[in-house]
């Protein structure tokens, strides 16, 4: 995965969320659960890291915006 950019966490309320899960379905379910509570910049793909189990998913959230804003 790419490095986290300073702009992604430039102020309170912004966060980078990384999910490790057994499969894509589980990772995307977690993303959907968070999206129901706050504004996110979702992703549509997961990553398999060499020598690590499962998949990884990263998305960005903003606690200061309403979902679907």
């Amino acid at each position: 995965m790419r490095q986290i950019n300073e702009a992604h966490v430039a102020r309170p309320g912004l966060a980078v969320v990384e999910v490790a899960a057994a499969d894509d379905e589980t990772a995307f379910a977690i993303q959907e659960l968070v999206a129901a509570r706050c504004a996110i910049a979702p992703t549509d793909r997961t990553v398999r890291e060499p020598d690590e189990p499962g998949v990884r998913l990263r998305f960005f959230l903003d606690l200061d915006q309403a979902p679907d804003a």
Side-chain angles (χ1 to χ4, degrees):
M1 296 193 122
R2 297 194 323 222
Q3 291 288 100
I4 296 172
N5 185 310
E6 191 172 323
H8 297 140
V9 293
R11 62 174 171 73
L14 298 179
V16 178
V17 178
E18 291 185 343
V19 176
D23 58 19
D24 288 359
E25 184 177 314
T26 303
F28 287 119
I30 298 299
Q31 180 176 255
E32 288 179 34
L33 286 171
V34 175
R37 304 273 326 220
C38 57
I40 70 165
T43 188
D44 60 357
R45 66 183 180 98
T46 60
V47 174
R48 288 195 180 273
E49 297 289 349
D51 301 320
E52 291 188 24
V55 298
R56 304 293 183 270
L57 176 140
R58 179 186 288 173
F59 60 93
F60 307 93
L61 69 84
D62 185 344
L63 295 175
D64 296 330
Q65 292 186 32
D68 299 318

